[in-house]
Each structure stands twice: as C-alpha cells, then as structure tokens.
Amino acid sequence: MINRSITLRSRILKNLVILLLAITAFQCSQKETVQLNKSDHIILIGNNLGSRMMEYGLFETEMHVRYPDSLLYIRNMCDGGNTPGFRPHSGRVSPWAFPGAEEFQTELANFSDSQGHFEMPDEWLTRHKADIILAFFGYNESFQGEEGLENYKAELDAFIKHTLQQQYNGNTPPQLAIISPIAFEDLSSLKDLPNGVKENKNLALYTQAMKEVSEKNKVLFVDAFNPSKKWYASSDQPLTIDGSQLNEEGYQKLALLLADGVFGKAKAKAEGNRTLIHEMVKEKNWMWHNDYKIPNGVHVYGRRYKPFGPDNYPAELEKIRQMTAIRDEAIWKAGQGERMDIAAADKNTIQLPPVETNYNPQQNGNLTYLYGQDALDKLTVPDGYKIELFASEVEFPDLANPVQMSFDNKGRLWIATCPSYPHYKPGDTRPNDKIIILEDTNRDGKADKQTVFADGLHLPMGFEIAPEGVYVSQGTNLKILIDTDGDDRADKIEILLSGFDDHDTHHVISAFAADPSGAIYMGEGVFLHTNVETSYGPVRATNGGFFRYNPSRHHLERTAQLAIPNPWGIAFDDFGQNFFAETSGPDVRWMMPGSVLPRYGEATHKSENLIEDAHRVRPTSGLEFVSSRHFPDEVQGDLLINNTIGFLGMKQHAVEDDGTGFKTRHRLDLVKGSDRNF
C-alpha cells in the first residue's frame, strides 16, 4: 500500500523546488547592475530631475572619482517636462521621441507650430554613440493620478521596447536603466507648500508601475522614491528647495544612489582629485549646455536659420563641440591629478569664419553715438517738463547694453546689463553680464556711485527686487540672487525653476513686474515651448504669453497664453489690473480677458487694442502708469509707453473706463528724440 501522506509531501517538495528554480531563473534574468566598460558613452535622458543634475555635476564627478582609469563619456540630454514619448523642442517639428508615441497623449498632441531641423532624440543618441542610457521619468506623469497609470505604463513599455531595438553605438543595443522619481518632501511647516501626502501616494503608484514595466522588459530599475523618503526623515535640513526639486545636498545623495544602483558599489579611487574633477565636470557641462541647449537656437536650427544662419552657426557648433571634447580630456586628466591647460587647447580648435554684417547705418541708425549734453540736446519735452541725465556709460562703462531697470525703496537704480546678447560666441571669454546699482549719494540728481550686485551672468533679460533677494531670468532658469551679509553683493544663488525656453533670446522670460500682492509677472514671446516642472505639476507654454510666479508658495502658473511676438512691457494700474505692450503690434491690451486656463498649442483671445490708430507706432519697449509727484495731479494714472523706429520717444495716454473694459486717449508726446539711435 502506498503511503499517501509521503506521496503528497514529495509532490509538495517537488513543486516547491520547481517554484524556487523558476524564481531564481526570473531573478537572474533581471539586471542587477549595468556592465561598465572603460570607454562607455553614458547618456542621461528624461525630465527635470535629470536635467538639474547638470547644474551640480555631482553624479558625473562621482563616476570619474570611482573610475579614474576609464575614459567615460557622459552627456546629459534631460529636459524639463519630458515623458518617455513626449519631448517637445521649439526647433523640431515633431515632439515625439519614437514612432507611435503620440498614441499616449491627448492635449499634448495638439499642433504647436514648432519648426526647424533640430535632431530627433534617436539621432542625438546615435551621434553620441550611446552605450548606456539612464532614463528619468514618472514625475510629470504622476499628476494624472491613478486614472492615468495604465496609459503611462503603456507609454513606458513602448519606450523601453523601442530603445532596446536600437544600436546607437553601431554594434549593440544600449544598456538601459529606468530611474524612478524622488519622493515629495514635506516642507509645509516651513513654507506655504503642499504637504506631499497626495503627491507621494501618486508617486508611489508610478514608481511601482515603473518597476513592474522594467522587470517585464528585463531592464534595470532604480528606485529613488523610497530611499529619498528615508533621506528626508533622517536629515535635519531640507533636501529640496520646494518639496519636489532637490537642492545640492539632495543631489549629493542622489549621485551616490545612482552610482551604486546603476553600476554597483565601487571604491572612490581618485578621492584626492574630487575637487579638480568636479571643476572640470562643471566646465564641460557649461560647454555642453551651449551645444545641446544653445541659447538663441532659433537662428541655429529653428525657423530663423535662413538666410543668415548658414553663414556662421555650422562653424560655431563645430567649434563648441571641439571645446567640449577638450573638457572631456580635462576631466580624464583630472582623474590622474593633472590640471589641463584648457585655454591653450582651445586655441587649437577651428577658427570661426568672418561674418559680413548686414547693418546699414543709413537705414538703421547712426554710427555716431551721443552722450551727455549732446544727447540731451536731441530730446524735447512739453512745457513744464524737464529731462535730465542720471547716468551714462561714459561715467559707468558697465551700463552699456541695459535691458531692464528698476528703482528700489532707497531710490537707487538697478539695471541688468547684457553685453553678451544675443548669446555666447564659442571661443570668447565666458559671459560677464551684470546687475548693477547706481546711486546718487550727494543728492545732485546724478549717479555718482556704482555697486555690482552680481556679475558672471548670461542674458539676465528680466529681474525683480524683493525683500528676500533679486529674482532674475537666466536662460532656461529662474534664479534668485541673495545678499546674505548686507554688502549689496549677491553671494548666494538658487535655481528656483527650470525649463523656460531660450530658443529665441529676445523672447525669453522678461519684463518682470510685481503685482500688488508681490507675485511676479513675466512675459514670454513667440516661437518658444516652455516646460517647467513645479511642486504643483508641470506648467507647459507655447508661443507667447505670461507667467505669474508666487514666491511665497513657489507656485508658477501660465496666467495667459496669447499670440504675441514680444511682450516687453507689463504694468498694473491702481486697482491691480494688468496691461501689456505687444511690441510688434504695436498694441497695448488689458490682460485679464485672456487670463483663462490655456490648452497646449492653443492661444487665447488677447482682448482689444487700447491705443488710438493715429498713435500706434512700433516697436514698443516699456510700459508704466504715472504714479509720481513729478507729474501734475490731472495726469496721475496715465499710461506711458516707449517707442522706437516708428516714433523715437515716449507717448502718454489717458486711460478711461469703457463699459466692462477700457479705452485710451492720447494726451501728449512726453519725450521726443531726433537722434536716430534714441
């Protein structure tokens, strides 16, 4: 007789062995780490979590410190707002990262009128011979909540399958690592920010989904969500600036997590050279940014490439890529403790061809520039008014090329200067744009003291003064410059938001103006596609409009998306109503009718022009309401608008109620210039 209990136990043991073998086989099929070779090309793609890593350079530094004997080639191609399939660019017609990616989007599939020949993501990866790809996704998508989870899993799955079918290096498919978003840090006791409960619930769902999709496709998955929760719990100081974006200390932790999680734990062989390596990494990243995210790219590969772009930009791209390669070599030498003479090496890069100017002084102005009394003699004002010289670049050479000015509550004039406009030229010294303070200390009505609040800037096209610091536009970033010791010199810089587009540098966020609550309005021109990741979700913008940034809440909104080329003037009346100048129009409009929730790729109605036809002269630059004892009582509340080319001077308009809106009546030409350069 057969013992049934023994037979049953045997079957259970047999099935258990089979199950254990299957689990072991499944686990062995998963990627535990990426295999690193000595000359691998490591490319980072994805969203803002990856993009901001380039600012700090800590992950790259960690890799070169651990592997100083390798010739690692690292490039960061991340950008704010990216998803696995949706990666828009102003200089590229298609926003889709791979065929079929549009199937996973709804509103983002709207036509946005991006134009140009900027390469597709696969083309960039192929040209840079990607061996290893680190992909950062999941944060933007998490705001779709549980409802959007299955769609995101399908999009991520399609991205992974597409990527593994490519041979970017020409020989083998890339090794791929999927990086989850970090957790949301609760800073609500310190700042007026979300507490992260809802956000972390969604982030946990999307992290788990990424893990499942990665395991399904047998690619490496790195969980940054759960480790970051532990970082926050064990840290005495915040590790993010706003709950969702890591600060420098946070990125130091992420650098170690990525190096360990993707490539395995390894000894820091070149620890003694870390400082030098980090310096060279940041130098390389600055040059790389001026290739991959070159400011003013609309002329390099966008809709304004022709007719003049071919004259100089192909050579400039070649030169900056040579300079970036030199800095790769400098990093490798730094790993051995050697400081490379970068300046000497740069001299061996190509010489840029001379570019013939199309400036016609007979048509566009005059090559004789007037200063002091000579300039004043060319200006006229109405009876009862007087115009005086406060400062010029004769006395203050740093004043040349001013782009925005503002008085502080001490009566000092702050000016952003922009000699590097329209962007850095490869081979030149690094840009040194400034924010300066001019002060009249002896009360004679003229500036006699200059203080450089900040230098080493690049294209500070807009700024606003606040008690906590100065908010300033810096390329793709909104930064705050802080004077911590009261010497009128910024000694601390924080990146608040990233992902603003500088595809056309005279359309970037500018004309900063604070509303009565202290929130900052910023104008943005046409041709741009901005994608900013915030603690409240992604803010996407296309082709002209305005942002409102609330500093106390770190909250950004697209307050109006309007078809305007150059919004170079924002002003608020006594009731807090906002008006804007449409430079190329040259209209002035009330903003409120267009302040509705925008849809991607679609412009809102921009309301009616308020300027009489007889006084519509273009282009305009600067807008303000009269609110000053320098003016008589009867003109308080009048609108002042600057004009150039069509009319050289400043027009003054009375503003009157008109039903549910406004109208204006030309009062006088406040300033008229006869110098063609005015």
Side-chain angles (χ1 to χ4, degrees):
M1 179 180 291
I2 298 174
N3 188 324
R4 295 183 180 274
S5 62
I6 294 176
T7 302
L8 182 60
R9 284 198 301 271
S10 297
R11 289 178 178 174
I12 292 173
L13 287 171
K14 182 178 180 180
N15 289 336
L16 184 59
V17 169
I18 292 172
L19 178 61
L20 288 172
L21 288 172
I23 292 174
T24 302
F26 176 77
Q27 289 176 336
C28 289
S29 70
Q30 303 309 300
K31 294 278 187 179
E32 295 184 359
T33 60
V34 162
Q35 179 65 43
L36 185 65
N37 297 308
K38 284 200 168 186
S39 59
D40 271 341
H41 288 213
I42 303 171
I43 310 297
L44 283 63
I45 65 173
N47 58 23
N48 189 57
L49 178 63
S51 177
R52 285 172 62 93
M53 289 172 62
M54 187 159 53
E55 299 281 350
Y56 297 104
L58 297 170
F59 166 69
E60 292 186 49
T61 298
E62 184 65 29
M63 291 296 295
H64 290 291
V65 167
R66 293 187 180 195
Y67 308 102
D69 299 325
S70 299
L71 303 178
L72 297 180
Y73 177 102
I74 303 176
R75 294 289 185 270
N76 191 321
M77 297 182 187
C78 299
D79 210 353
N82 281 352
T83 79
F86 180 71
R87 299 183 220 163
H89 194 283
S90 298
R92 182 172 60 215
V93 175
S94 173
W96 309 117
F98 55 86
E102 63 273 19
E103 297 176 9
F104 307 104
Q105 300 298 341
T106 53
E107 181 182 316
L108 299 185
N110 289 347
F111 175 67
S112 68
D113 197 30
S114 53
Q115 298 178 23
H117 59 273
F118 188 76
E119 293 170 299
M120 297 293 291
D122 279 350
E123 292 176 302
W124 277 95
L125 292 168
T126 300
R127 186 156 56 78
H128 288 272
K129 299 179 173 59
D131 300 300
I132 299 169
I133 297 174
L134 277 60
F136 299 80
F137 295 117
Y139 177 73
N140 297 292
E141 301 88 335
S142 71
F143 287 91
Q144 299 174 32
E146 190 170 359
E147 181 180 350
L149 193 61
E150 290 304 315
N151 182 70
Y152 173 64
K153 290 172 69 175
E155 181 184 352
L156 181 64
D157 181 70
F159 157 72
I160 293 175
K161 285 181 166 57
H162 170 81
T163 302
L164 296 181
Q165 291 170 358
Q166 311 307 307
Q167 294 186 356
Y168 299 120
N169 62 12
N171 298 307
T172 58
Q175 297 185 79
L176 178 62
I178 304 297
I179 318 297
S180 86
I182 57 170
F184 198 100
E185 184 178 26
D186 182 6
L187 301 180
S188 59
S189 63
L190 304 174
K191 302 179 181 181
D192 187 7
L193 287 162
N195 61 18
V197 173
K198 177 182 177 182
E199 290 76 13
N200 280 328
K201 179 181 178 182
N202 287 331
L203 287 166
L205 287 174
Y206 279 72
T207 296
Q208 179 61 30
M210 295 173 76
K211 183 175 185 292
E212 293 171 2
V213 174
S214 299
E215 290 178 346
K216 171 186 170 184
N217 287 280
K218 299 180 175 58
V219 299
L220 177 65
F221 171 73
V222 177
D223 177 5
F225 174 77
N226 288 296
S228 59
K229 288 180 69 175
K230 296 178 181 178
W231 302 341
Y232 305 152
S234 61
S235 176
D236 294 332
Q237 298 296 322
L239 296 176
T240 66
I241 61 172
D242 56 4
S244 64
Q245 298 183 95
L246 292 172
N247 58 24
E248 186 168 6
E249 292 75 19
Y251 269 110
Q252 286 176 342
K253 293 182 178 294
L254 182 65
L256 295 175
L257 176 73
L258 292 176
D260 289 346
V262 178
F263 302 98
K265 293 183 181 296
K267 182 180 178 182
K269 296 180 180 179
E271 183 60 46
N273 301 325
R274 182 182 290 273
T275 300
L276 179 58
I277 292 172
H278 186 228
E279 179 187 342
M280 294 300 104
V281 165
K282 294 193 75 172
E283 175 73 19
K284 184 268 296 181
N285 281 348
W286 194 89
M287 287 295 170
W288 163 243
H289 181 91
N290 279 274
D291 176 3
Y292 187 66
K293 290 285 290 180
I294 184 170
N296 218 31
V298 69
H299 295 276
V300 184
Y301 38 64
R303 71 183 74 208
R304 285 181 165 166
Y305 177 66
K306 294 180 179 180
F308 302 114
D311 292 347
N312 61 302
Y313 283 116
E316 288 193 23
L317 284 177
E318 182 180 355
K319 186 178 182 72
I320 205 160
R321 287 167 184 174
Q322 291 176 354
M323 295 172 71
T324 307
I326 286 169
R327 284 148 181 79
D328 279 322
E329 187 177 353
I331 294 170
W332 302 331
K333 288 183 180 294
Q336 307 303 317
E338 178 184 347
R339 177 179 287 274
M340 182 178 176
D341 189 341
I342 292 176
D346 284 345
K347 293 179 181 178
N348 296 321
T349 59
I350 65 166
Q351 295 296 311
L352 297 178
V355 178
E356 183 178 350
T357 181
N358 64 348
Y359 175 74
N360 182 345
Q362 299 305 315
Q363 179 181 354
N364 303 117
N366 195 313
L367 292 178
T368 301
Y369 292 88
L370 303 180
Y371 299 93
Q373 191 60 47
D374 291 337
L376 286 172
D377 289 343
K378 295 289 186 179
L379 302 177
T380 58
V381 294
D383 291 342
Y385 289 88
K386 183 179 180 181
I387 189 166
E388 297 176 319
L389 175 70
F390 181 71
S392 85
E393 57 264 41
V394 173
E395 296 81 15
F396 302 102
D398 286 338
L399 181 57
N401 292 18
V403 291
Q404 183 161 357
M405 64 181 183
S406 181
F407 285 94
D408 67 12
N409 56 10
K410 297 178 182 178
R412 303 179 304 175
L413 181 62
W414 294 58
I415 303 146
T417 68
C418 217
S420 72
Y421 180 84
H423 60 85
Y424 169 72
K425 179 182 177 182
D428 284 358
T429 56
R430 290 274 284 268
N432 190 28
D433 299 341
K434 299 179 177 70
I435 294 178
I436 61 175
I437 308 171
L438 297 180
E439 187 174 0
D440 172 16
T441 63
N442 60 9
R443 318 292 284 182
D444 68 348
K446 293 185 178 181
D448 50 60
K449 178 184 177 182
Q450 172 184 298
T451 304
V452 178
F453 178 75
D455 54 12
L457 306 176
H458 188 27
L459 304 174
M461 304 300 284
F463 74 91
E464 184 61 87
I465 306 168
E468 61 273 19
V470 177
Y471 295 87
V472 59
S473 164
Q474 277 293 268
T476 59
N477 298 318
L478 174 65
K479 296 183 179 182
I480 184 170
L481 312 181
I482 304 170
D483 170 18
T484 63
D485 54 13
D487 65 351
D488 288 328
R489 173 79 180 180
D491 43 48
K492 182 180 180 182
I493 301 176
E494 291 184 359
I495 302 171
L496 298 173
L497 294 170
S498 303
F500 294 99
D501 197 356
D502 61 353
H503 182 63
D504 191 328
T505 52
H506 81 286
H507 288 175
V508 299
I509 51 172
S510 59
F512 284 25
D515 71 11
S517 76
I520 300 169
Y521 277 71
M522 303 172 282
E524 183 180 70
V526 74
F527 306 155
L528 304 186
H529 287 61
T530 279
N531 295 274
V532 180
E533 298 180 23
T534 79
S535 295
Y536 304 86
V539 176
R540 303 186 187 275
T542 56
N543 295 313
F546 298 91
F547 297 101
R548 181 180 185 271
Y549 177 67
N550 183 332
S552 64
R553 298 181 60 225
H554 287 253
H555 182 267
L556 181 77
E557 67 180 16
R558 182 63 158 176
T559 197
Q561 186 157 287
L562 312 170
I564 46 176
N566 307 297
W568 291 343
I570 307 169
F572 295 86
D573 69 8
D574 287 343
F575 299 95
Q577 293 296 319
N578 45 2
F579 297 79
F580 66 92
E582 183 181 351
T583 300
S584 297
D587 301 333
V588 173
R589 302 175 188 270
W590 180 31
M591 191 185 301
M592 194 276 284
S595 299
V596 300
L597 184 67
R599 284 179 56 82
Y600 190 84
E602 296 182 4
T604 303
H605 184 270
K606 55 187 177 183
S607 78
E608 301 300 324
N609 164 53
L610 302 179
I611 305 299
E612 301 168 71
D613 287 345
H615 296 279
R616 293 176 69 243
V617 285
R618 68 168 303 274
T620 60
S621 183
L623 194 68
E624 190 55 273
F625 285 93
V626 174
S627 178
S628 166
R629 288 173 293 176
H630 290 288
F631 289 78
D633 291 343
E634 61 269 20
V635 304
Q636 297 297 319
D638 276 10
L639 185 68
L640 304 178
I641 184 167
N642 296 323
N643 303 98
T644 174
I645 302 178
F647 167 76
L648 305 178
M650 179 185 295
K651 288 182 175 288
Q652 181 174 332
H653 304 270
V655 181
E656 303 169 349
D657 290 343
D658 184 25
T660 58
F662 301 91
K663 64 181 179 180
T664 69
R665 172 175 46 84
H666 177 255
R667 190 184 295 274
L668 52 82
D669 292 339
L670 186 61
V671 179
K672 287 196 285 188
S674 56
D675 173 15
R676 295 177 68 192
N677 289 324
F678 179 66

